[in-house]
Amino acid sequence: MTEPLFPQPTGTMGRPYRRYEAHEKVNGTATYASDVRLAGTAHAYLLASKIGRGRIEAFDLTAALAVPGVVDILTHETVGGQIRQTPSLYTGGYAADSVRPLGSADVAYWGQPVALVVADSYEAAREAAQKIDVAYAVAEAASSFDSGGAEHSELEQHALRVGDFDGAFAAAPFKIDAHYSTPVQHHNAMELFATQCVWDGDRLTVYEPGQYLNNIKYGLAEQLGIDPERIRVVNAYVGGAFGAKGFLTQRTALVALAARRVGRPVKLVATREQGFFLSAYRAETRHHVQLAADQEGRLLAHRHEGWELTSRADLLAFGGNGMTVRLYACPNIESRVNVARVDRSTPGFMRGPAEVPYAFALETALDELAYAAGLDPVELRRINDTDVEPVGGLPYTSRSLMQCFDAAGAAFGWPDRTAEPGSMRDGDWRVGWGCAAAFYPAYAASSSARVRLHADGRVHVASGGHELGQGMYTMMAQVAAERLGVPMDRVSVSLGDTDLPPAIVAGGSSSTTSVAPAIMAACDAIRRRLGLDEGSQGDVVAAMVASGTGMVEEYAETRAHGEAPDTMRRLHRGQAAPSGGIHLEDRVQFALGAQFVEVRIHARTREIRVPRAVGAFAAGRIINPRTAHGQLVGGMIWGISSALMEHTDIDPRNAGYINANLADYLLPVNADIGTVQAIMVPEVDDLVSPAGVKGVGEIGTVGTAAAISNAVHHAIGKRLRDLPLRIEHILEDI
Amino acid sequence: MQPFQYIRPASLAEMVMAEREARSRDAAARTAYIAGGTTLVDLMKLNVEQPDRVVDLNAIAPAFSAITLDGSTLRLGAFAKMAAVADHPAVIGGFPVIAESLSLAASAQLRNMASLGGNVLQRTRCAYYGDPAWTACNKRAPGSGCAARDGVNRQHAVLGVSDHCIASYPGDFAQALMALDATVILVGAEGTRSVPFASLHREPGDTPDAETTLRPGEVITEFVVDGGPWARRSRYLKIRDRQSYEFAVASVAVALDLVGDTVRDVRIALGGVATVPWRAYDAETMLRGRSLDEAAAADAAELAFASAVSHTHNAFKIPLGRSAIVRALLETAAMEVRRD
């Protein structure tokens, strides 16, 4: 170690306290959803469809039912109408998709759950599931954009137009006009998709890893047709989520129903392969970007057309164009988004869902423009830096993009780069250096928290947030400790339970931004109860003793800037959605960053390696630089993975996934990752939320792929515009 | 996974007898041998393999796990763990291509479990073979067709393919054995025999389900490798999409006997690109007696892929394989090797 990992705590840079739950995680006592032991548990195994589209004509369950230990088999025939339709998240409901679990004989996509076997053991359930004979009437399935049967449309709500793009583009001296694409990618968090359900009379307890337990509670209540107050969802730790565990999937209702039918707790741990079908994923995207600049490199025209993909069941698109066209000053803008509906499961959130694909297109195009205009790629961004977004003329609440470029560039050694592609070599290796901007909207939502102070100085903080590994426990304890002026080790935390005061979904990099203000408000209320000023350094414990009270408890709700009046009601119904970013009337708010990478490409065999990556990020207040650092470094590593490896292979003949396992769906191993440095650039933003936090969960991933593709171009002079970047794309180009 | 009978014979004789008995009761009964279990158990969970009997050979294993250098001849017990062989000083010093092929394979955890015999017999990674939902697979269900030919076939073979199967052989160690002209010792109901390793695997032809020339019930007990200058000047180059824990997109095992810069003898084996462990005999013949430079290496590479046949997504393996051969030959020539 030559320099400390974390910056000195000052101003908006907090203290790098160790993880609240570090001990439990390291010694293996942290209880994840599938670790909960319930007496008398029956084990479930899902049977997923192995056709892309069609209809179930008949089940032959004879052999499956004959397997010793099988207690029940749920199919659309045996379930009937016991599970009700709940609208999808995208139409004001709760579910990750609009396919009703075991709702009919129709098969909408490869991997759709068609049966759930319940048995005394996991092995018996699996054996029986493999013995179910399903007769299908198979129909042709559209797998992607170019399939016959794909339904194409434009989504008007994502269209943007400022000035005269066509005129400006035609007249400009420097232009880029290029197409880009990003692949299908699936979540492969270490923890699998597990659910355990147990009924006690008419009360149901669900153990399931979740980013939004209240979403599961209220959505499941609708599906089962029961009072939500009879459902409790509990989950103390999530083993990686990244968007996959955000919302109600089809499995939860099936397990709950199975538990009711067999009168025992039921446990499902979906297989690694089934994880590819059960939850959201990043669908493939296509982009057409046109950029034009004047002689000085000032952007004159910017057009970005995106193509996204979704299921037949759910019309959705992320429309990252709304952000990319607002990042740099430009007088003439045009943008639109099209969507294709095909026979696949509904896509959804994956770390930087809108940002990652659209940023790859824009930030690669900018690098191309820099070469066309003979400018350094960093300087091109500096020339077009702005404090006001160019579409609506709204101010950024704060913007430190160039501070990030300068900090990361200096740490990386960017001034030593020679601009000419192919000019840097090391033996048989071609060396390339590339950079790109990263951005992520600062979102926030209403949340609530309860804080209790005991006379002996113990503090308890409770809020129904979620520990995904990002550091929620630590953040909650730290905010309370600092606000009340008590030591960290006196604070205990409860989260991950729908019986607690509700908090926002742990998504959109918004947990800390949203929950910290509620904790602060509750702490301030305690101070007021004790007659202390909010900002004062007064000793709360001394005040407690003086008051003669044994315990003080305060509950607080906070609302984020720009939220609708019914936000609190929605929070208490499991429907709080973050707002912010570009969705405010008076301003835009973004965390920004800059990422630099070095690639090495073997002159003969063309392997692409990334020995080092440096990112600098400005995201307002950093409450805990240790956990923030983990998120940023992890995000950058995912970016490397996303650019060079991750790609789900889909057979166009039946829209089937053929590499749905960890051997064939590549993720990086330690050997693939060299030095990864994350720099936190100090930034003050008192507007985004009372906590001054913008969030760092997703931004680390956003700029990596473009930085890598730009570095590949620098190494060998070939511009790659389709991810993932692979050996075969550059075989003939050295 | 389906229920199966589990047997753990205490000796080779007991194994042979039990197999003979089982076969006389039910000639169609499917027997699978298990040692490390790193391939078989996965395939059983996926329902690809459904053996009636699983014969656990681990009680026999200690008798066939030795790594010995007998003069210049290396003898490797077939039950030796990959990790043990990869780390053995005699192997690293005298047969680097073996050590490299093993240490670049799989993960540390798998190398600690997997045996050499099981490793050379590991099954293809063809996704269509590995999922019974794809009904067309001549290897899994003879006569059913081949889903890979018109499917996603980036990983598939370009050498040794047939109309019936294009599945690539996934292993690494086998290429080292090919390049060193190893011999394999087999034990079965008809006794012990030794055969060239190069005759162990069968190209798919019109019977891709018959992957080896092993007789029913036969097991591999030992690999025998002669040493010499070509064995000391040998290396394994593995090109893959990630730097560890990943199968080869293309790999090359080279064993080279150089006098000055003239090739006295050379053996080249290819992995990741062929249906079986593959020797580039024509390339070798062309190189013998020539001085090894860029042009000669390129000529050899051209010859090695002269018979290549590609499908939708794997045409890149031909130029990549050629580049890998050139790189491997030149890097092997540049090795500093003691001559006796």
Side-chain angles (χ1 to χ4, degrees):
Chain A
M1 270 317 206
T2 51
E3 52 188 303
L5 214 47
F6 312 117
Q8 283 302 306
T10 54
T12 58
M13 198 60 64
R15 292 185 171 278
Y17 286 109
R18 290 178 196 286
R19 273 178 196 278
Y20 176 87
E21 77 285 17
H23 192 256
E24 287 76 8
K25 282 188 171 168
V26 170
N27 72 11
T29 55
T31 306
Y32 291 81
S34 65
D35 297 331
V36 175
R37 297 290 182 100
L38 301 167
T41 294
H43 298 264
Y45 193 92
L46 266 180
L47 180 67
S49 79
K50 292 281 187 169
I51 64 167
R53 188 166 71 91
R55 203 174 158 74
I56 298 165
E57 296 196 310
F59 285 103
D60 183 348
L61 304 179
T62 317
L65 287 168
V67 172
V70 170
V71 293
D72 197 6
I73 299 179
L74 280 65
T75 69
H76 74 274
E77 290 170 346
T78 63
V79 164
Q82 292 180 72
I83 299 172
R84 302 179 191 184
Q85 182 79 50
T86 176
S88 81
L89 187 63
Y90 310 102
T91 51
Y94 298 97
D97 63 70
S98 297
V99 176
R100 188 160 63 96
L102 298 182
S104 77
D106 293 327
V107 174
Y109 58 90
W110 176 282
Q112 180 179 323
V114 296
L116 185 81
V117 179
V118 186
D120 290 335
S121 71
Y122 175 80
E123 290 74 15
R126 180 176 59 189
E127 180 192 345
Q130 291 175 339
K131 284 182 166 155
I132 293 176
D133 188 9
V134 192
Y136 293 106
V138 182
E140 199 159 307
S143 65
S144 192
F145 289 114
D146 300 327
S147 307
E151 299 170 75
H152 301 272
S153 60
E154 185 191 346
L155 293 178
E156 299 287 347
Q157 67 267 34
H158 292 290
L160 286 165
R161 187 184 288 270
V162 177
D164 170 20
F165 169 83
D166 289 332
F169 188 77
F174 300 118
K175 294 177 213 186
I176 293 300
D177 186 334
H179 292 263
Y180 306 84
S181 72
T182 65
V184 198
Q185 298 183 331
H186 278 83
H187 285 282
N188 276 287
M190 198 179 295
E191 181 193 35
L192 296 167
F193 294 95
T195 300
Q196 297 200 69
C197 288
V198 57
W199 290 86
D200 177 9
D202 65 356
R203 306 189 76 84
L204 170 65
T205 305
V206 179
Y207 301 92
E208 181 175 307
Q211 294 170 254
Y212 198 10
L213 301 185
N214 274 312
N215 165 278
I216 296 172
K217 167 178 166 169
Y218 287 95
L220 186 59
E222 279 192 13
Q223 288 180 311
L224 298 177
I226 63 173
D227 178 353
E229 293 320 311
R230 291 187 189 152
I231 298 178
R232 181 181 178 198
V233 187
V234 185
N235 176 228
Y237 304 100
V238 184
F242 310 106
K245 292 166 181 163
F247 303 98
L248 186 67
T249 66
Q250 293 177 44
R251 75 186 191 275
T252 312
L254 296 177
V255 178
L257 179 61
R260 191 160 70 188
R261 284 163 63 110
V262 303
R264 295 162 62 177
V266 172
K267 174 179 186 174
L268 171 73
V269 181
T271 65
R272 178 61 63 181
E273 177 188 14
Q274 290 166 352
F276 280 69
F277 317 118
L278 265 182
S279 189
Y281 61 99
R282 197 192 296 288
E284 54 270 53
T285 67
R286 291 176 175 178
H287 306 264
H288 180 206
V289 179
Q290 292 163 288
L291 296 175
D294 67 15
Q295 294 290 355
E296 282 72 46
R298 283 188 296 262
L299 280 174
L300 296 173
H302 182 176
R303 185 176 186 281
H304 193 149
E305 180 164 9
W307 286 263
E308 301 190 35
L309 193 97
T310 188
S311 65
R312 302 262 189 220
D314 294 287
L315 183 61
L316 69 108
F318 286 102
N321 61 314
M323 290 178 273
T324 51
V325 299
R326 286 177 166 93
L327 278 184
Y328 300 102
C330 182
N332 302 291
I333 292 170
E334 201 174 295
S335 192
R336 52 186 281 176
V337 174
N338 313 284
V339 69
R341 303 176 81 159
V342 296
D343 301 303
R344 296 248 303 272
S345 60
T346 299
F349 298 99
M350 183 188 271
R351 205 172 198 175
E355 297 76 12
V356 165
Y358 283 83
F360 169 68
L362 172 63
E363 291 295 318
T364 307
L366 278 171
D367 198 73
E368 299 192 47
L369 183 64
Y371 272 89
L375 286 166
D376 181 279
V378 174
E379 295 315 304
L380 178 69
R381 274 120 178 145
R382 196 184 312 277
I383 289 163
N384 292 288
D385 193 22
T386 178
D387 289 328
V388 177
E389 60 87 11
V391 174
L394 301 179
Y396 279 79
T397 53
S398 59
R399 178 171 162 119
S400 311
L401 179 67
M402 293 321 298
Q403 289 89 327
C404 292
F405 267 105
D406 292 340
F412 185 82
W414 186 254
D416 297 335
R417 175 181 184 263
T418 53
E420 184 66 26
S423 62
M424 293 172 68
R425 298 184 178 192
D426 182 6
D428 285 337
W429 294 87
R430 303 285 185 268
V431 178
W433 289 3
C435 68
F439 58 89
Y440 194 83
Y443 288 132
S446 49
S447 281
S448 64
R450 192 172 56 228
V451 178
R452 188 182 292 162
L453 171 66
H454 295 269
D456 61 2
R458 282 180 299 123
V459 173
H460 184 74
V461 191
S463 179
H466 312 83
E467 176 60 59
L468 315 179
Q470 84 280 42
M472 192 68 174
Y473 282 110
T474 315
M475 181 282 288
M476 288 171 64
Q478 190 167 345
V479 169
E482 291 173 355
R483 201 71 175 184
L484 289 175
V486 300
M488 267 292 268
D489 62 8
R490 301 298 282 159
V491 185
S492 59
V493 177
S494 293
L495 55 71
D497 187 334
T498 54
D499 281 359
L500 297 173
I504 176 64
V505 56
S509 301
S510 64
S511 269
T512 299
T513 324
S514 308
V515 177
I519 296 170
M520 291 159 62
C523 291
D524 292 348
I526 287 176
R527 284 188 162 276
R528 284 195 299 274
R529 281 262 295 271
L530 295 171
L532 298 168
D533 289 342
E534 282 170 27
S536 80
Q537 295 300 308
D539 184 336
V540 290
V541 180
M544 280 290 283
V545 172
S547 74
T549 331
M551 188 268 283
V552 185
E553 180 179 286
E554 285 289 349
Y555 167 86
E557 292 179 344
T558 48
R559 196 151 102 185
H561 175 79
E563 279 195 308
D566 69 342
T567 181
M568 284 302 162
R569 191 183 58 78
R570 294 176 60 79
L571 173 66
H572 287 275
R573 294 286 305 173
Q575 290 188 315
S579 72
I582 60 166
H583 302 295
L584 302 171
E585 289 179 359
D586 53 345
R587 67 199 201 195
V588 292
Q589 44 192 48
F590 278 90
L592 290 152
Q595 294 184 247
F596 291 71
V597 300
E598 174 175 318
V599 303
R600 288 176 174 240
I601 299 174
H602 195 274
R604 293 188 189 277
T605 44
R606 279 72 159 174
E607 302 105 299
I608 307 172
R609 306 300 190 212
V610 181
R612 63 193 187 104
V614 178
F617 306 91
R621 177 184 299 275
I622 301 297
I623 288 185
N624 186 314
R626 180 187 303 272
T627 53
H629 179 263
Q631 296 208 68
L632 291 168
V633 167
M636 291 164 73
I637 290 171
W638 193 340
I640 296 170
S641 175
S642 178
L644 296 178
M645 294 185 193
E646 292 189 52
H647 177 225
T648 309
D649 286 323
I650 299 180
D651 193 308
R653 292 170 296 187
N654 55 10
Y657 292 178
I658 70 156
N659 63 339
N661 62 72
L662 282 183
D664 300 316
Y665 182 91
L666 296 190
L667 298 163
V669 295
N670 269 330
D672 294 297
I673 304 301
T675 310
V676 179
Q677 184 183 359
I679 299 165
M680 284 167 269
V681 173
E683 184 181 66
V684 178
D685 190 328
D686 293 328
L687 291 170
V688 279
S689 92
V693 171
K694 290 179 171 176
V696 293
E698 303 177 62
I699 189 170
T701 310
V702 175
T704 317
I708 291 174
S709 76
N710 297 339
V712 167
H713 170 261
H714 181 235
I716 60 170
K718 177 159 185 181
R719 189 58 75 174
L720 298 184
R721 301 185 181 92
D722 303 290
L723 298 177
L725 314 179
R726 285 174 158 176
I727 289 175
E728 56 262 45
H729 302 138
I730 52 172
L731 263 180
E732 309 300 339
D733 300 285
I734 296 186
Chain B
M1 188 184 279
Q2 304 301 315
F4 53 87
Q5 190 194 357
Y6 172 81
I7 302 159
R8 187 179 163 99
S11 68
L12 212 50
E14 195 179 312
M15 178 205 86
V16 169
M17 199 161 1
E19 184 56 24
R20 192 180 293 153
E21 252 172 55
R23 209 163 286 284
S24 67
R25 271 200 310 277
D26 177 5
R30 294 161 298 185
T31 298
Y33 290 135
I34 189 166
T38 54
T39 296
L40 179 67
V41 174
D42 286 354
L43 292 174
M44 288 172 69
K45 285 180 180 172
L46 294 169
N47 236 13
V48 174
E49 285 286 325
Q50 298 177 33
D52 301 298
R53 294 153 30 84
V54 172
V55 180
D56 182 345
L57 301 179
N58 283 299
I60 299 168
F64 300 98
S65 297
I67 303 163
T68 53
L69 197 58
D70 181 2
S72 66
T73 300
L74 179 69
R75 308 186 77 93
L76 300 171
F79 292 87
K81 299 299 187 188
M82 292 169 71
V85 180
D87 294 342
H88 197 283
V91 179
I92 294 170
F95 307 83
V97 67
I98 292 181
E100 289 172 10
S101 72
L102 288 167
S103 60
L104 292 173
S107 64
Q109 292 88 338
L110 287 167
R111 294 194 294 272
N112 286 334
M113 285 297 289
S115 66
L116 296 187
N119 177 269
V120 300
L121 297 177
Q122 71 177 303
R123 316 302 295 278
T124 182
R125 303 298 307 184
C126 172
Y128 300 98
Y129 168 77
D131 184 350
W134 297 92
T135 50
C137 176
N138 290 322
K139 196 182 273 300
R140 183 164 28 78
S144 60
C146 173
R149 284 175 52 92
D150 299 316
V152 179
N153 48 40
R154 179 178 183 270
Q155 298 294 342
H156 288 70
V158 295
L159 293 170
V161 300
S162 75
D163 289 346
H164 306 281
C165 186
I166 60 169
S168 65
Y169 175 78
D172 296 299
F173 173 53
Q175 275 70 252
L177 295 175
M178 291 292 284
L180 297 177
D181 269 334
T183 300
V184 57
I185 312 295
L186 309 170
V187 175
E190 293 154 41
T192 300
R193 63 186 179 119
S194 82
V195 301
F197 181 77
S199 69
L200 185 65
H201 292 83
R202 297 163 54 124
E203 289 181 36
D206 54 9
T207 55
D209 56 309
E211 294 183 345
T212 70
T213 55
L214 288 171
R215 295 170 185 160
E218 226 171 19
V219 293
I220 302 172
T221 56
E222 200 172 31
F223 301 95
V224 182
V225 189
D226 288 333
W230 60 87
R232 284 193 298 277
R233 186 183 292 283
S234 68
R235 66 160 308 185
Y236 188 69
L237 173 67
K238 184 172 181 179
I239 310 300
R240 44 187 168 172
D241 291 319
R242 68 178 163 197
Q243 294 196 59
S244 179
Y245 194 20
E246 171 62 347
F247 296 95
V249 179
S251 70
V252 185
V254 172
L256 187 59
D257 185 4
L258 274 185
V259 180
D261 60 357
T262 302
V263 177
R264 185 153 74 182
D265 196 8
V266 61
R267 290 86 169 266
I268 303 168
L270 305 177
V273 293
T275 53
V276 291
W278 189 266
R279 268 288 282 275
Y281 292 108
D282 293 346
E284 296 171 7
T285 306
M286 191 278 292
L287 281 174
R288 282 191 196 102
R290 269 184 80 166
S291 73
L292 185 51
D293 55 15
E294 176 97 27
D299 288 349
E302 194 68 30
L303 265 182
F305 282 88
S307 67
V309 175
S310 65
H311 288 80
T312 323
H313 307 111
N314 66 355
F316 78 99
K317 285 194 171 184
I318 298 171
L320 176 63
R322 288 192 194 116
S323 296
I325 289 175
V326 172
R327 179 176 165 189
L329 281 169
L330 297 178
E331 288 181 0
T332 309
M335 286 172 71
E336 291 196 9
V337 175
R338 171 180 58 86
R339 266 204 88 85
D340 358 56

